[in-house]
């Protein structure tokens, strides 16, 4: 029996670029003739089992799927078994130790020539990747916030020195201009700093409205 193409992530060898930045990856094959699921060691590991500890089946998998995703998973499997793919679904599961995993499952027909004889699927555990992305985004947001806060404090100091006002009043002026011009306060602050620290070009640097 032959397939018209090698399934992505085939057990015979995978392109490293298909491993989603080293996310854990598992593979499944299901043949209509015997009705049995064949899992790779990686797929057993995602669910927290070793080979031989469980017999893969929809009845075994569904209790691991988060309740809100179970109907979608059942419908997805019935659809791909009936009409093929390629098609994908995102699923949340709980492994043997009750740890949640976010999975991307992609599946298509296994073909003998042009005849569908089963379904193959690749399962990618995106949990760590999602966590890393969120952590990176949070770190970048904190860093950006710190930069903006420093600019606002510096601009407040400039206004206090130039206009003889206190910090609260300086911030009120920037906040009002922010509302009037529909721009962020930190953008107003950066503009004040630029206008007061950049070397004059020509006869005189353009003054900022608040200075």
């Amino acid at each position: 029996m032959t397939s018209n193409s090698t399934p992505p992530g085939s057990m015979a060898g995978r392109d490293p670029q298909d491993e989603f930045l080293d996310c854990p990856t598992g593979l499944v094959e299901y043949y209509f003739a015997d009705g049995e699921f064949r899992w790779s060691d990686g797929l057993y590991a995602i669910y927290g089992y070793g080979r031989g500890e469980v017999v893969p089946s929809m009845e075994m998998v569904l209790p691991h799927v988060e309740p809100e995703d179970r109907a979608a998973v059942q419908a997805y499997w019935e659809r791909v078994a009936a009409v093929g793919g390629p098609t994908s679904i995102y699923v949340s599961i709980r492994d043997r130790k009750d740890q949640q995993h976010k999975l991307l499952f992609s599946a298509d027909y296994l073909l003998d020539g042009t005849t569908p004889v089963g379904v193959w699927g690749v399962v990618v555990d995106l949990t760590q990747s999602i966590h890393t992305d969120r952590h990176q985004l949070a770190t970048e947001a904190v860093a950006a916030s710190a930069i903006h806060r420093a600019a606002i404090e510096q601009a407040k100091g400039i206004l206090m020195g130039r206009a003889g006002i206190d910090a609260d009043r300086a911030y009120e002026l920037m906040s009002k201009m922010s509302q009037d011009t529909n721009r962020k306060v930190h953008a107003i602050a950066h503009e004040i700093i630029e206008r007061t620290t950049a070397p004059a070009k020509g006869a005189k640097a353009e003054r900022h409205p608040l200075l």
Side-chain angles (χ1 to χ4, degrees), residues 15-39:
D15 185 333
Q17 293 182 354
D18 292 334
E19 296 194 5
F20 292 86
L21 301 178
D22 295 325
C23 290
T25 303
L27 302 155
V28 58
E29 293 177 347
Y30 175 82
Y31 289 92
F32 300 139
D34 58 26
E36 294 182 357
F37 288 85
R38 296 171 175 81
W39 282 13

Side-chain angles (χ1 to χ4, degrees), residues 103-190:
L103 307 181
L104 172 63
F105 184 74
S106 297
D108 200 352
Y109 274 148
L110 278 167
L111 300 176
D112 183 2
T114 59
T115 303
V117 295
V119 173
W120 66 264
V122 56
V123 180
V124 183
D125 189 344
L126 300 175
T127 309
Q128 186 58 43
S129 176
I130 292 171
H131 172 76
T132 300
D133 289 345
R134 287 178 177 170
H135 177 73
Q136 181 177 353
L137 288 172
T139 300
E140 291 173 353
V142 169
S145 178
I147 292 172
H148 295 331
R149 172 52 55 187
I152 290 171
E153 292 301 319
Q154 185 177 350
K156 281 165 58 178
I158 292 171
L159 291 177
M160 290 165 64
R162 293 289 184 91
I165 57 179
D166 62 20
D168 289 341
R169 179 57 180 160
Y171 185 80
E172 287 175 6
L173 290 173
M174 287 192 294
S175 180
K176 185 177 186 306
M177 187 172 186
S178 169
Q179 294 173 7
D180 291 344
T181 60
N182 196 29
R183 289 185 295 158
K184 299 291 187 181
V185 173
H186 65 76
I188 304 296
H190 282 290

